[in-house]
């Protein structure tokens, strides 16, 4: 399928946008809190965060660059997956994370997290992760396009039909974590976040988001 801007205008565009856009923004908010806690994020954010730190860039600029390259790949091999949600995910999340982390530093929330006891940090982490899963499921169910990072394993899966998609997705996520670790090793400031936590999330987030997404799909 060739890329066409007509595919951006989906049925019930306004209603879908009303769910998708706030979900993307909230994903950025919750990722920023996970970054402050430092126990791991989703694999894509872990990779981009470490690349950004190694380059001395903000996360927003880094995600536009990395996802822009992935978007070219997607346009060539999976144009049907692209929609308004693709661009929203690619452009907004990183800049929302940058903005929120600036806000957290200035209002003292980042310091509060850093100085909190382990039980408080566990509570904040659990609540944030649950909220992230819910808004991610809402974003997916809006069906306004796939994020460039999520499109690539789907395309690869079509090339290798004998390998189950979940295996390809896990390997793709683990590769993202590995890239993040390499970028962190090249960075004098070291690895940003927890590689182990991000590996665990790479194994768990997909199934959990799918599980939460089933009842949400009926509601939406």
């Amino acid at each position: 399928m060739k890329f066409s801007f007509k595919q951006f205008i989906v049925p019930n565009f306004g209603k879908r946008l009303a769910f998708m856009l706030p979900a993307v923004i909230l994903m950025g908010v919750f990722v920023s809190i996970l970054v402050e806690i430092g126990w791991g994020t989703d694999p894509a954010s872990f990779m981009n965060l470490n690349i950004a730190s190694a380059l001395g860039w903000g996360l927003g600029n880094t995600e536009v660059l990395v996802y822009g390259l992935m978007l070219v790949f997607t346009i060539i091999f999976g144009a049907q997956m692209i929609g308004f949600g693709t661009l929203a995910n690619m452009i907004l999340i990183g800049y929302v994370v940058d903005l929120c982390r600036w806000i957290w530093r200035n209002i003292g929330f980042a310091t509060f997290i850093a100085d909190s006891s382990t039980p408080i940090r566990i509570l904040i982490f659990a609540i944030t992760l649950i909220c992230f899963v819910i808004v991610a499921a809402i974003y997916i169910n809006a069906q306004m396009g796939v994020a460039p990072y999520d499109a690539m394993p789907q395309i690869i899966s079509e090339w290798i039909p004998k390998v189950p998609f979940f295996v390809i997705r896990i390997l793709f996520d683990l590769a993202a974590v590995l890239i993040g670790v390499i970028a962190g090793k090249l960075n004098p400031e070291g690895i940003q976040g927890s590689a182990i936590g991000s590996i665990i999330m790479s194994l768990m987030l997909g199934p959990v988001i799918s599980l939460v997404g089933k009842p949400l799909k009926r509601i939406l």
Side-chain angles (χ1 to χ4, degrees), residues 111-135:
T111 303
F112 170 77
I113 291 176
D115 295 341
S116 293
S117 62
T118 300
I120 296 297
R121 288 164 67 90
I122 290 174
L123 178 63
I124 296 173
F125 181 79
I127 293 173
T128 303
L129 197 55
I130 291 170
C131 292
F132 176 81
V133 166
I134 292 172
V135 295

Side-chain angles (χ1 to χ4, degrees), residues 43-174:
S45 296
F46 176 81
M47 174 184 69
N48 290 326
L49 186 67
N50 279 280
I51 292 174
S53 183
L55 294 175
W57 290 11
L59 184 61
N61 291 338
T62 303
E63 289 202 349
V64 168
L65 172 64
V66 174
Y67 290 161
L69 296 174
M70 292 183 177
L71 181 63
V72 173
F73 179 89
T74 305
I75 290 174
I76 296 172
F77 298 108
Q80 72 278 6
M81 299 182 188
I82 298 172
F84 191 75
T86 305
L87 300 181
N89 183 293
M90 169 182 157
I91 297 171
L92 288 179
I93 291 181
Y95 290 115
V96 170
V97 172
D98 287 339
L99 175 62
C100 286
R101 294 193 70 194
W102 178 82
I103 294 173
W104 303 152
R105 287 192 298 270
N106 281 275
I107 67 174
F109 184 54
T111 303
F112 170 77
I113 291 176
D115 295 341
S116 293
S117 62
T118 300
I120 296 297
R121 288 164 67 90
I122 290 174
L123 178 63
I124 296 173
F125 181 79
I127 293 173
T128 303
L129 197 55
I130 291 170
C131 292
F132 176 81
V133 166
I134 292 172
V135 295
I138 292 173
Y139 164 75
I140 292 170
N141 277 297
Q143 297 181 345
M144 295 192 73
V146 178
Y149 178 89
D150 297 317
M152 288 189 66
Q154 293 186 39
I155 294 169
I156 295 170
S157 179
E158 292 177 0
W159 292 348
I160 318 174
K162 292 184 178 180
V163 181
F165 171 73
F166 79 91
V167 173
I168 292 175
R169 178 62 198 236
I170 289 173
L171 292 175
F172 188 81
D173 285 340
L174 291 177

